[in-house]
Amino acid sequence: MSTRTTPAAAVEVPRLEDKTIQPIPANERHGKARDLFTIWFGSNIMIMTIVTGGLATTVFGLHFVPAIVGIIIGNLVGGIFMALHSAQGPQLGVAQMIQTRGQFGSYGALLIVVIVVIMYVGFFAANLVFGGEAMAAVNPGISVDAGIIVIGVVSVVATIFGYRLIHAYARFLSIVAGLALVLAFVWILAVHGLPASFLDEGNFNWVGFMATISVSALWQLAYAPYVSDYSRYMPQGTGSAPAFWASYSGCVLGTLFPMILGALVGTLAVTMSNDAGSVEIVGSLGALLQPWTMIVIGIFCLGVAASNAMNLYCGVLCSLTIGQTFKPNWLPRAKTRSVAALILFTLAVLIALFARDNFILFYTNFLSFLMYVLVPWTAINLVDYYLLRHGDYRVEDFFKRDGGVYGRFNWVAIGSYITGALIQVPFSATAIYTGPLAAAMGGVDLSWIVGLAVVAPLYYFAARLFRNKSDAAHFQTPAFATELI
């Protein structure tokens, strides 16, 4: 496969996206690498990002300074993996979960796709709850349930229109939400001020510090299964390095500052209440921002709708991928995407309405679950793409029932994935279960680090040793990603 092509002179992109999981043709490839910066920067400035950052100084009980250090480390490290996945989109022109068939086989990939659908629905529900609470906080005339419905409906509309509208929405948010974020920091720091005891609140503990790093890294890693869905329309000649750096800088910066704001609000709220367990980040932020509460939090709610549109859009693509696995000739279009979006929307809304009263506990456990299931997959995908195949795949074989050269099941990838999931268990520390090795370290969770360290070399050497003869040539191609590795 060529690594550099000139995009068609006449780009024909319908306003209502009619593509779903099929490869994007050359005459519909459009956009520039900078579009990847705005979609990840704008969509991350939202309530859920702020709440996640607030976990460091409330649930994890950290001082403000180590909380910020943990947030920075987690985002800088996790963003690397996120951006490496994003750089795959312009080269292959297909959704990330379709490309996963190249590692796991046509049926073997279903293991990952089903897990990822669960992830999308979970994040959609979490966004609905936090967004609904935010809307209710700034406007007492709106109930939390009503806020959940409003944000959900906006997300569905954006999903139905698809790729172009979501990108345009994120470009708008990059400016508007970025300014709202600056206003929030200026108002809290320069106008509201910090109490004398601010830096004395909380403590340093390795459990909380590592948990903060893990949650921040996971925020980035959670985009990995769908980040290339938003780069697959880029011209193939976009280049892997520009796509990498635009995605990395946009997602890291767009996440870092809202999380820092959340940690700041969490510390201030704990200082005033002297009870970390009772702190409610959205309400505390609203109280600190008076009289700008309605404007700033209202804008952050727009970010919730953008993020949810992205979750729903990619959840739909994954759901369609499941169906197409069993009916290879079926290539769904806009109408099917719309119906699938409504079904997933209904499911997520029911979860949000049912679980909203105790959602922080649900959310923290949900994040832990995602860490264990996403880390092995991302290690396998990146090793396969950059170190073994060097970006050279037979895209047409992704859509064959028998998987073409990739087969129905790649037991090397499946075995490496299961090994990676199991190897994390002794090192895990959650509210539900603490492994023996994590307990021996005082509850410090190193599971995701161990998972990456074990799975990456395991899959690399096992794949080279047991690779399918019909697929062997792809391990010998010239390096596609020399500009990155």
Side-chain angles (χ1 to χ4, degrees), residues 217-477:
L218 176 61
W219 186 275
Q220 302 290 335
L221 284 169
Y223 289 123
Y226 70 72
V227 63
S228 72
D229 295 0
Y230 293 98
S231 61
R232 77 191 199 278
Y233 273 90
M234 299 286 169
Q236 195 177 33
T238 298
S240 53
F244 174 91
W245 287 112
S247 301
Y248 182 81
S249 57
C251 203
V252 169
L253 293 175
T255 304
L256 198 57
F257 292 110
M259 281 193 178
I260 291 174
L261 177 62
L264 173 65
V265 171
T267 302
L268 288 171
V270 171
T271 302
M272 292 184 287
S273 69
N274 294 314
D275 181 8
S278 65
V279 169
E280 204 276 305
I281 295 294
V282 177
S284 300
L285 177 62
L288 289 168
L289 288 176
Q290 294 288 353
W292 299 99
T293 301
M294 185 171 294
I295 294 174
V296 174
I297 293 186
I299 291 172
F300 290 158
C301 287
L302 294 177
V304 172
S307 178
N308 256 2
M310 295 172 70
N311 284 318
L312 185 58
Y313 176 85
C314 298
V316 168
L317 295 187
C318 286
S319 300
L320 299 180
T321 298
I322 295 172
Q324 194 272 339
T325 300
F326 300 102
K327 191 177 180 182
N329 293 328
W330 179 56
L331 291 177
R333 299 284 182 172
K335 183 178 179 180
T336 306
R337 185 181 70 245
S338 300
V339 172
L342 290 171
I343 293 172
L344 290 185
F345 160 75
T346 302
L347 177 60
V349 167
L350 290 175
I351 293 173
L353 295 176
F354 176 78
R356 69 177 178 84
D357 292 332
N358 195 26
F359 210 77
I360 282 292
L361 178 62
F362 167 83
Y363 182 55
T364 51
N365 287 323
F366 176 64
L367 291 177
S368 299
F369 163 75
L370 289 184
M371 183 67 77
Y372 304 135
V373 298
L374 288 181
V375 162
W377 169 79
T378 198
I380 291 168
N381 179 273
L382 294 180
V383 166
D384 193 82
Y385 186 90
Y386 289 103
L387 301 182
L388 294 175
R389 303 183 194 276
H390 310 295
D392 189 13
Y393 289 83
R394 297 182 185 177
V395 174
E396 62 275 12
D397 285 15
F398 294 162
F399 297 87
K400 295 179 179 179
R401 184 187 296 273
D402 63 1
V405 297
Y406 309 112
R408 288 185 172 87
F409 297 94
N410 181 347
W411 294 109
V412 172
I414 294 170
S416 298
Y417 179 85
I418 294 173
T419 299
L422 294 177
I423 201 68
Q424 294 179 84
V425 174
F427 297 91
S428 65
T430 70
I432 299 175
Y433 171 79
T434 298
L437 295 178
M441 293 184 289
V444 176
D445 191 328
L446 299 178
S447 56
W448 67 282
I449 299 174
V450 173
L452 286 172
V454 170
V455 175
L458 172 64
Y459 177 70
Y460 177 81
F461 290 110
R464 293 191 68 87
L465 182 63
F466 298 107
R467 62 185 181 269
N468 190 316
K469 290 183 179 179
S470 64
D471 193 25
H474 285 262
F475 289 90
Q476 308 299 329
T477 55

Side-chain angles (χ1 to χ4, degrees), residues 194-237:
L194 302 179
S197 60
F198 178 79
L199 293 178
D200 297 326
E201 198 61 56
N203 60 73
F204 177 82
N205 62 88
W206 281 106
V207 175
F209 184 66
M210 290 305 300
T212 298
I213 293 176
S214 297
V215 167
S216 302
L218 176 61
W219 186 275
Q220 302 290 335
L221 284 169
Y223 289 123
Y226 70 72
V227 63
S228 72
D229 295 0
Y230 293 98
S231 61
R232 77 191 199 278
Y233 273 90
M234 299 286 169
Q236 195 177 33

